[in-house]
Amino acid sequence: MLRVRFHGRGGQGIKTASQVLGTAAFLSGFQAQDFPLYGAERRGAPIVAFTRIDKEPILERGPVAFPDLILVGDETLLEDSQAAPACGADALTTLLVNSTKAPNSLKDKLNLLTMPVTCGLTKLCLKHLNAGMILSTALAAAAARLTGLIPLNHLLEAVEIELAEFSPEQLQKNLDLVREVFELLNPVVFQEREEAGLFPSKLMALEQQEVRDAAPLITATGNMNLRKTGNWRIHRPEIDYEECNHCMICYARCPEGVIKEDAEGKPEIDYDHCKGCMICAQECPKHAIKTLWEMDYEHQSQ
Amino acid sequence: MNINRSNKRMLTGNKAAAWGARLAGVEYVPAFPITPQTEIVETLSQWFAGGTLKGKFTNMDSEHSMFMAAGSAAATGVRVFTASSSQGILYGMESLYTVTGWRVPFVMVNVSRGLATPITLEADHNDVMSTRDCGLIQLHAETCQEILDFVLMGYKIAEHPLVSVPVLVNMDGFVLSFSREPVVIPDEKSARDFLPAFQPAQPVFQASLPMARASAVFGGGTYTYFRIQQDLAVRQAETVFNETAVEFADRFGRHYEPLERFHLDDAEVVFVMSNSFATKGKSAVLRLRKQGVKAGLLKIRMFRPFPDEAVANALKGRAKVAVIDQNLAPGMGGITYPEIVAAMYGRDDCPQKILSVIGGLGGKDIKENDFLSIVEKLNDPESKGPVFLYDEGDWKQFQQMQKIAQL
Ligand code: SF4
Ligand code: SF4
């Protein structure tokens, strides 16, 4: 069985990537299963999706802990300890990162056992789709090619099925993109994982605790500090203080409560937690809040 | 373009449920969204809006009115479908008891999700088990194919003149509701031949025909009469299921029994499971067999009526049985365990040990290693249930969370 795991952010087409790969594998005569993992998250939050491909019926369900192939759509996730895209990677795992960096620099940084593959998918998506962060078909094409199991015609057919609701022009652009990604990469040889013997879990019997420890009680306030949601941002609000008249409407409207009033009475955005919903920009009567692309901003600041 | 090869395509559990309803030609869908069920009614609403399905799709104000609307519409003689999950089921509970007593047929899907509190979105079976005594027929699905097939079969069973009771089809949230796998979609014509338009065998509401359904009865005797009738009708559904399954197999090639036996014939150790985690159980059985443990699995598809004879026959003569409940009745244990034990009661070929195991609560994974631990517990004469599938790793993880949550 080949187990594939996709990492990216909500809105980047990670679930669709896993589904295009699933359908392509199915059309190529394999058993396939795909499954996205998302709960209460939203756009911008780290998302994982999985595809399993096998000749035999698939007797697994749920998340893939030990993937043969990992695809990381968003480089910024490599640093995110909660997304932990390299988790479960071993000497048999191939990791592809949407990046223009040199593979060995990532290998060292992530302590990988194998040399990762890097591929600048964002640039290709920009070229074909005019949108650098809609990665669904590009990631699926990369995965399909790396597996070496899926011929191009089945991949293209899968794209047509999964993007059936797209306009003919949009579909064609995706097909061109898929073709280019497919031709750019080379298949990897995957080794079948040897099945380790089972060993018993260390089951334990819980003891009764006092009710304050036994009930789902949260007594520590302010623990959002530990969960930096700033990296969910695709867009970045930036206040133009020349224009701002300190009306503080943005402060009142921010659903995350991450705009505060500084000592001089000016609004200040906490970028560690701002999720980039851009409601503040919509609400600002002076149009003083600019919408930047987080990616562009990062490049500028580097 | 060839979108579906031999009518097979990748579908989520939710889409498979919607396809079942579509092929049944449902005429009325009262709906209310809830994660992880929403995709079902969303899909159906699109099909109604686009004209693929003819009839009426109504957004209700709650599950309480939704189940009431489902029952009422079924009482007018139209084919009804609805779906819910978790807290939604609980909120609609009063209506569920009410409409099953009306003895009107429809099919509903429950997408299992653990109940609050604590709040979760992931699967366990306390929600569906809470409807165990409502008077519904319950079919639990392990695969996306079973979901579609059970919805189709469900109408045939629910609408059978000797049954006339709603059918609930259950699937696990996330693990099945959002998982896609290849599903054979029967063509419309064969589906229609298998399941012709609904012909109610009883009087239905019509403007010209005044009648009452929710009659009040006092003194207990009349009440008891209707309750016994309800019991007989639900019991009858087992025979009807088996007849329907034969017809279904003739037409579509897939044959279902109330129970599925996996490597059971020579098994010494048996896991009793249901729903999507039974897939994991099957994989564990194969791996345990490689390690010399003669394991097998009994999957329960039909929980109501409870197929006690069939269960007793499947488990008789087995040395050791573990009943894995993905639910918890606090202060008692697993909810289906006593039903299995009762099915074996008084039989001289009863297993030496029937152990209650509880796992998969709130979507917690049941790992293959856990099955070996269960075997160890079964082999330990001292062990007593319920055994919780909770390990040192889970405890460490909890302690981390607790550090963040508490002052
Ligand atoms: S984009 Fe604006 S409104 Fe949205 S979270 Fe950030 S600061 Fe708040
Ligand atoms: S809403 Fe606009 S003008 Fe008002 S305080 Fe915020 S940024 Fe300044």
Side-chain angles (χ1 to χ4, degrees):
Chain A
M1 184 182 316
L2 202 69
R3 299 168 182 87
V4 185
R5 198 169 73 196
F6 294 89
H7 289 266
R9 296 184 183 282
Q12 291 179 338
I14 299 306
K15 170 176 149 189
T16 309
S18 73
Q19 296 190 329
V20 170
L21 181 64
T23 297
F26 167 63
L27 294 173
S28 309
F30 291 94
Q31 302 282 342
Q33 183 193 75
D34 53 61
F35 172 59
L37 196 64
Y38 48 62
E41 292 91 352
R42 35 138 284 162
R43 230 183 139 77
I47 296 278
V48 200
F50 315 92
T51 309
R52 291 185 170 94
I53 303 171
D54 203 355
K55 289 198 196 79
E56 307 299 320
I58 295 169
L59 291 184
E60 287 185 12
R61 297 213 171 271
V64 169
F66 300 102
D68 301 293
L69 174 60
I70 301 174
L71 296 105
V72 185
D74 192 318
E75 220 180 320
T76 61
L77 285 173
L78 295 174
E79 323 266 337
D80 187 313
S81 63
Q82 257 168 331
C87 175
D90 59 18
L92 297 179
T93 308
T94 300
L95 187 119
L96 176 137
V97 186
N98 171 20
S99 168
T100 46
K101 294 210 175 82
N104 46 14
S105 73
L106 290 176
K107 179 171 185 271
D108 296 343
K109 198 159 114 191
L110 297 171
N111 266 324
L112 294 174
L113 296 169
T114 54
M115 187 62 78
V117 181
T118 59
C119 184
L121 295 175
T122 299
K123 222 164 62 200
L124 295 174
C125 291
L126 265 174
K127 172 177 150 195
H128 288 280
L129 311 177
N130 205 15
M133 272 329 224
I134 310 287
L135 294 160
S136 43
T137 48
L139 278 175
R145 180 55 165 171
L146 291 176
T147 66
L149 300 172
I150 293 160
L152 181 61
N153 62 327
H154 290 326
L155 175 63
L156 294 172
E157 195 182 340
V159 172
E160 290 182 24
I161 291 171
E162 295 306 327
L163 305 189
E165 281 161 24
F166 280 41
S167 69
E169 302 82 65
Q170 268 317 101
L171 176 62
Q172 193 52 52
K173 287 178 187 171
N174 276 281
L175 293 173
D176 295 342
L177 167 65
V178 161
R179 213 181 277 274
E180 183 165 354
V181 174
F182 194 86
E183 273 151 20
L184 201 69
L185 293 164
N186 291 310
V188 174
V189 180
F190 288 95
Q191 270 175 53
E192 186 70 27
R193 275 163 201 278
E194 257 179 63
E195 210 174 69
L198 296 177
F199 53 93
S201 310
K202 290 182 177 152
L203 297 186
M204 60 177 282
L206 283 175
E207 277 165 23
Q208 193 181 2
Q209 307 286 326
E210 279 177 43
V211 66
R212 61 158 289 148
D213 291 323
L217 233 64
I218 299 176
T219 49
T221 53
N223 55 28
M224 260 318 278
N225 262 338
L226 301 171
R227 181 76 182 101
K228 308 259 189 262
T229 47
N231 68 0
W232 293 20
R233 262 194 321 271
I234 293 170
H235 291 124
R236 180 184 181 91
E238 198 170 81
I239 299 173
D240 177 354
Y241 289 105
E242 300 284 305
E243 288 292 325
C244 168
N245 67 4
H246 310 180
C247 70
M248 297 314 275
I249 285 178
C250 55
Y251 163 90
R253 290 286 193 269
C254 170
E256 302 298 330
V258 297
I259 303 183
K260 66 170 191 225
E261 195 178 353
D262 72 5
E264 294 155 41
K266 288 187 306 191
E268 190 185 14
I269 296 172
D270 164 11
Y271 288 107
D272 277 351
H273 294 95
C274 160
K275 293 178 181 170
C277 68
M278 303 317 296
I279 287 174
C280 53
Q282 294 259 343
E283 295 288 332
C284 171
K286 294 278 291 170
H287 304 290
I289 303 181
K290 280 186 292 182
T291 302
L292 306 180
W293 284 95
E294 192 61 42
M295 291 275 289
D296 296 346
Y297 177 84
E298 275 163 23
H299 284 293
Q300 275 168 25
S301 56
Q302 263 163 24
Chain B
M1 191 192 52
N2 176 16
I3 284 202
N4 50 49
R5 304 212 159 157
S6 57
N7 286 330
K8 221 177 187 189
R9 50 172 112 159
M10 298 289 286
L11 291 184
T12 59
N14 280 341
K15 286 265 199 255
W19 265 100
R22 171 170 163 168
L23 290 171
V26 295
E27 298 162 291
Y28 179 59
V29 177
F32 194 82
I34 179 169
T35 300
Q37 171 279 123
T38 308
E39 189 188 10
I40 301 177
V41 292
E42 217 168 58
T43 306
L44 288 170
S45 76
Q46 283 159 6
W47 287 339
F48 274 104
T52 307
L53 281 171
K54 308 258 178 293
K56 198 161 168 54
F57 179 97
T58 312
N59 283 307
M60 304 302 295
D61 63 353
S62 73
E63 291 85 354
H64 190 277
S65 24
M66 180 180 89
F67 289 130
M68 208 56 104
S72 309
T76 68
V78 300
R79 190 167 278 158
V80 180
F81 177 85
T82 191
S84 191
S85 169
S86 191
Q87 308 299 123
I89 288 285
L90 293 193
Y91 195 55
M93 184 65 80
E94 184 193 0
S95 305
L96 279 178
Y97 268 91
T98 303
V99 300
T100 50
W102 293 353
R103 298 289 309 279
V104 289
F106 61 86
V107 173
M108 61 178 283
V109 167
N110 179 58
V111 184
S112 268
R113 160 181 154 187
L115 297 172
T117 302
I119 298 169
T120 184
L121 297 173
E122 294 169 275
D124 73 32
H125 302 148
N126 263 92
D127 61 353
V128 64
M129 284 303 155
S130 75
T131 69
R132 185 188 62 162
D133 303 333
C134 279
L136 294 161
I137 292 153
Q138 286 201 4
L139 306 176
H140 292 222
E142 177 197 350
T143 64
C144 297
Q145 185 72 59
E146 284 190 346
I147 296 167
L148 190 155
D149 292 349
F150 289 176
V151 170
L152 270 183
M153 287 173 65
Y155 281 102
K156 193 100 178 172
I157 299 163
E159 291 169 6
H160 192 283
L162 291 176
V163 178
S164 203
V165 162
V167 168
L168 179 153
V169 176
N170 196 66
M171 76 171 99
D172 283 335
F174 287 75
V175 179
L176 208 54
S177 70
F178 298 155
S179 267
R180 300 195 324 165
E181 50 192 21
V183 175
V184 181
I185 304 179
D187 67 83
E188 220 157 299
K189 163 123 191 9
S190 337
R192 191 60 59 248
D193 290 346
F194 170 74
L195 184 69
F198 176 29
Q199 292 288 345
Q202 56 175 321
V204 293
F205 281 130
Q206 284 166 21
S208 55
L209 196 81
M211 61 187 277
R213 269 193 185 274
S215 321
V217 293
F218 295 99
T222 317
Y223 184 87
T224 306
Y225 168 83
F226 289 125
R227 294 290 279 161
I228 294 173
Q229 286 300 328
Q230 206 180 350
D231 181 54
L232 292 169
V234 176
R235 283 178 192 275
Q236 185 63 32
E238 187 175 349
T239 310
V240 174
F241 177 96
N242 286 323
E243 289 165 6
T244 306
V246 170
E247 201 189 326
F248 190 89
D250 282 348
R251 231 176 255 284
F252 302 112
R254 294 180 295 282
H255 186 249
Y256 298 106
E257 288 174 25
L259 306 173
E260 181 186 336
R261 300 145 162 267
F262 186 80
H263 289 270
L264 211 56
D265 287 344
D266 64 341
E268 287 161 8
V269 172
V270 179
F271 306 112
V272 180
M273 296 184 79
S274 69
N275 289 281
S276 68
F277 275 18
T279 306
K280 289 167 171 275
K282 289 176 179 174
S283 171
V285 162
L286 297 178
R287 290 183 68 176
L288 285 167
R289 282 190 170 252
K290 282 189 201 153
Q291 284 178 224
V293 180
K294 276 200 177 162
L297 184 138
L298 180 68
K299 183 179 92 182
I300 302 196
R301 290 193 176 107
M302 179 193 273
F303 270 104
R304 284 293 178 272
F306 189 68
D308 52 357
E309 275 295 316
V311 167
N313 286 333
L315 294 180
K316 72 175 180 210
R318 309 293 160 207
K320 284 153 191 162
V321 174
V323 180
I324 305 179
D325 268 293
Q326 264 175 274
N327 59 65
L328 174 64
M332 199 285 286
I335 295 173
T336 67
Y337 174 74
E339 304 202 350
I340 308 284
V341 174
M344 302 306 300
Y345 178 75
R347 298 184 68 119
D348 44 18
D349 44 9
C350 186
Q352 295 156 21
K353 185 156 189 152
I354 309 181
L355 184 70
S356 172
V357 177
I358 292 171
L361 297 183
K364 180 169 145 51
D365 193 20
I366 300 184
K367 299 186 230 52
E368 292 197 334
N369 287 333
D370 292 344
F371 289 91
L372 186 56
S373 314
I374 296 171
V375 173
E376 286 189 346
K377 295 277 182 198
L378 281 170
N379 288 335
D380 171 5
E382 303 291 302
S383 71
K384 281 215 310 232
V387 169
F388 286 93
L389 298 180
Y390 188 88
D391 62 35
E392 288 170 14
D394 299 318
W395 173 236
K396 281 206 189 96
Q397 206 184 9
F398 175 76
Q399 285 172 311
Q400 291 291 329
M401 302 282 282
Q402 189 83 327
K403 256 190 220 148
I404 298 171
Q406 302 217 338
L407 281 174

